[in-house]
Amino acid sequence: KQPKGPALAEAVLSLSDAALISPIRILQLSDPTLQPTSSTSDLRKAYLKISLHIHPDRIGATFKEATKAFQVLVTAYETLTSPDYIPSDEPTSKKGKKNKAAQISRSNEGCYTTKIHCPRCDARWNDKVEGNPDYYYKVMMQGLK
């Protein structure tokens, strides 16, 4: 049987240190079958189920650390649903997020740029017209849209 209210909030707080390494443990309080590779909708269901029981507006009067427990839950959910999250059992430098060195960089060298022209005067976008300041042409073109 799943704990509710302050007991569930205490369980979330007790797992807050472990959440830095494996945030799935907190959501497993709702559904023990969850895995870091579970679908986002399953993770969201577990998050919502727990959040209903430990929300500070609901148990704040009886449990003083309800806000902290809720913040731990939100952080765990956001970490799991982040596109940068890599599931692992080893602590990482940024709470389960990719290291900057592991990311692939891409330059824009050799990319094609589309030249946009004004439909009325056929002047190229961002070209200076009649000696006006840089911002003037952008403002005028925005007004023509």
Side-chain angles (χ1 to χ4, degrees), residues 65-138:
E65 294 185 329
T67 303
K68 185 176 179 184
F70 191 74
Q71 288 172 345
V72 169
L73 172 66
V74 168
T75 302
Y77 175 70
E78 287 177 349
T79 301
L80 285 168
T81 56
S82 168
D84 292 338
Y85 179 69
I86 301 172
S88 71
D89 292 332
E90 300 172 11
T92 58
S93 61
K94 294 188 177 182
K95 298 182 185 177
K97 294 197 177 188
K98 289 181 183 176
N99 294 333
K100 290 279 184 189
Q103 292 181 354
I104 298 173
S105 65
R106 178 182 167 266
S107 73
N108 290 333
E109 192 174 318
C111 291
Y112 178 76
T113 56
T114 303
K115 293 177 177 73
I116 301 172
H117 290 58
C118 173
R120 291 188 180 169
C121 65
D122 201 38
R124 218 177 107 212
W125 188 272
N126 282 338
D127 279 355
K128 292 181 182 177
V129 177
E130 299 171 3
N132 291 320
D134 293 338
Y135 67 87
Y136 183 79
Y137 188 68
K138 290 180 182 179

Side-chain angles (χ1 to χ4, degrees), residues 13-94:
L13 281 176
S14 69
L15 291 173
S16 65
D17 292 333
L20 297 176
I21 298 170
S22 180
I24 192 67
R25 292 182 186 176
I26 291 178
L27 295 181
Q28 285 175 338
L29 291 171
S30 170
D31 183 2
T33 62
L34 281 178
Q35 296 300 320
T37 55
S38 296
S39 69
T40 306
S41 63
D42 290 339
L43 295 173
R44 188 175 194 292
K45 286 177 192 175
Y47 163 74
L48 291 175
K49 191 183 287 186
I50 295 172
S51 67
L52 283 174
H53 295 293
I54 70 167
H55 196 277
D57 291 343
R58 181 170 282 210
I59 64 165
T62 58
F63 189 68
K64 291 182 180 180
E65 294 185 329
T67 303
K68 185 176 179 184
F70 191 74
Q71 288 172 345
V72 169
L73 172 66
V74 168
T75 302
Y77 175 70
E78 287 177 349
T79 301
L80 285 168
T81 56
S82 168
D84 292 338
Y85 179 69
I86 301 172
S88 71
D89 292 332
E90 300 172 11
T92 58
S93 61
K94 294 188 177 182

